[in-house]
Amino acid sequence: MPSSKGYGTPNAESPLAPVSFTRREPGATEILIEILYTGVCHSDLHMARNEWGQSIYPLVPGHEILGRVSAAGSKVTKFKVGDIAAVGVIVDSCRKCAPCKKGEEHFCDEGATLTYAAKDRVDGSITMGGYSNNYVVDERFAHTVPSNLDMAGVAPLLCAGITTYSPLRHWKVGPGMKVGIIGLGADEVILSTDEAQMKAHAGSFDFILNAVSAPHKLEPYLALLKQDATMTLVGLPEKPPSVDVFSLISKRVSIAGSMIGGMIETQEMLDYCGKHNITADVEVIPIQKVNEAFERMLKQDVKYRFVIDMSTLK
Ligand SMILES: [Zn+2]
Ligand SMILES: [Zn+2]
């Protein structure tokens, strides 16, 4: 059994601290990955502190994983030992239902298995995430990584990257369309607090991706949409938002939601990033600074993503 070490917590109140545990032996279609980099996602903080009420302890966070394959089962075809592999938010699903058959495993009818703090479908153990030195996963839920990309900058693509890529694909965003991203930088910035700026862009957007997870009013943004256009939410505010229905019916606009992406689409996103040389802007930290990184994330003191250099885990 691969022995593992990482940073985890025994309960919602304690900071992350060194832990050790074992992972199961990789099966015929599974690989063992020695982790090089893991992104720090805001969900990791929510989960470590049980802010969504679904955490299982002991908990080792981390679902933006990049590493090198150190063992591969006899039936593995996608990877060989020494290859770079990436793992995101889910690591298994029923593989039989309609969404799974379509490669949309994140919408699995039985619920996909999360990379950490979930019940493993193979042996019933609790999944331990990527704030650790290794991971065992079926090759279906691991991705190949274009060799031209900076590896630390790839890690956040596995959660944050696919979460923003998938809705752009699903709502067929393409050349010539005016797209708004709420909560990120862009070519042109409209300050939502500036009424004149908001008015000047009213009714002009083909699509808006709303990545804000803090409570906020939706109506001012709906007013920016063209007739029949959609605003898709990918952030998760703690309290359900309300909406003035008038702001929907007056231009037949839609509010929609989206989360991560399936395995086919995640690979497509990574290949797209390879082709266009896209990675996330990151600040690389040693794992000993992960609690500090959580606090800095809460203060929005990061440009734009923390990534843990796992070689610092001794
Ligand atoms: Zn995440
Ligand atoms: Zn399924």
Side-chain angles (χ1 to χ4, degrees):
M1 301 242 286
S3 66
S4 307
K5 55 191 177 175
Y7 266 53
T9 178
N11 54 52
E13 292 76 37
S14 304
L16 299 184
V19 290
S20 50
F21 53 98
T22 55
R23 297 195 186 270
R24 61 184 155 73
E25 215 56 66
T29 59
E30 294 182 329
I31 54 173
L32 173 65
I33 300 171
E34 302 302 320
I35 300 176
L36 299 168
Y37 294 100
T38 299
V40 177
C41 178
H42 207 114
S43 320
D44 298 342
L45 191 154
H46 286 301
M47 286 293 286
R49 298 179 182 180
N50 199 20
E51 287 168 356
W52 291 334
Q54 62 179 67
S55 300
I56 309 171
Y57 297 94
L59 185 149
V60 175
H63 62 200
E64 297 177 343
I65 299 170
L66 198 94
R68 199 177 291 281
V69 176
S70 61
S74 59
K75 292 191 173 143
V76 169
T77 57
K78 208 156 78 179
F79 299 96
K80 56 184 191 319
V81 170
D83 285 351
I84 296 293
V87 176
V89 177
I90 61 172
V91 289
D92 209 350
S93 67
C94 87
R95 310 183 195 189
K96 298 188 295 268
C97 70
C100 282
K101 279 187 175 156
K102 272 197 292 183
E104 297 197 307
E105 298 89 345
H106 54 314
F107 298 137
C108 175
D109 287 346
E110 293 182 14
T113 305
L114 298 176
T115 305
Y116 63 86
K119 196 171 165 193
D120 188 295
R121 278 181 150 83
V122 176
D123 66 1
S125 64
I126 301 306
T127 56
M128 299 286 188
Y131 291 10
S132 60
N133 63 327
N134 57 20
Y135 205 93
V136 173
V137 64
D138 191 288
E139 66 169 338
R140 174 173 176 158
F141 292 85
H143 310 284
T144 59
V145 177
S147 58
N148 58 311
L149 296 178
D150 168 63
M151 287 197 282
V154 167
L157 302 179
L158 276 306
C159 175
I162 185 62
T163 296
T164 48
Y165 178 89
S166 180
L168 297 178
R169 291 285 280 145
H170 181 76
W171 277 275
K172 299 185 170 51
V173 170
M177 289 170 78
K178 183 168 169 180
V179 179
I181 312 283
I182 308 174
L184 289 173
D187 290 339
E188 189 187 346
V189 173
I190 304 168
L191 280 179
S192 57
T193 47
D194 184 329
E195 259 183 58
Q197 279 188 39
M198 290 292 273
K199 225 173 185 172
H201 289 273
S204 70
F205 281 86
D206 295 283
F207 182 77
I208 293 178
L209 180 66
N210 185 340
V212 176
S213 53
H216 63 291
K217 275 196 158 70
L218 299 179
E219 292 83 358
Y221 302 104
L222 292 169
L224 296 176
L225 292 172
K226 278 181 182 169
Q227 182 196 311
D228 295 320
T230 300
M231 174 163 76
T232 298
L233 313 181
V234 296
L236 280 175
E238 268 167 62
K239 285 194 185 123
S242 68
V243 64
D244 178 357
V245 177
F246 190 79
S247 64
L248 298 173
I249 64 171
S250 57
K251 280 209 165 83
R252 199 168 52 197
V253 298
S254 305
I255 298 176
S258 183
M259 65 164 190
I260 53 171
M263 296 305 104
I264 294 169
E265 201 172 50
T266 303
Q267 187 65 59
E268 178 191 290
M269 177 273 303
L270 286 167
D271 294 343
Y272 179 90
C273 288
K275 200 171 152 199
H276 299 280
N277 221 359
I278 299 167
T279 51
D281 291 338
V282 299
E283 178 178 337
V284 177
I285 56 163
I287 196 155
Q288 292 77 12
K289 292 215 164 158
V290 70
N291 291 303
E292 195 184 305
F294 274 7
E295 293 312 316
R296 283 182 56 198
M297 200 156 62
L298 281 176
K299 288 188 285 186
Q300 298 183 340
D301 174 24
V302 53
K303 282 187 188 296
Y304 286 90
R305 274 294 190 128
F306 288 114
V307 170
I308 304 165
D309 176 354
M310 216 49 75
S311 71
T312 59
L313 177 64
K314 302 289 180 215

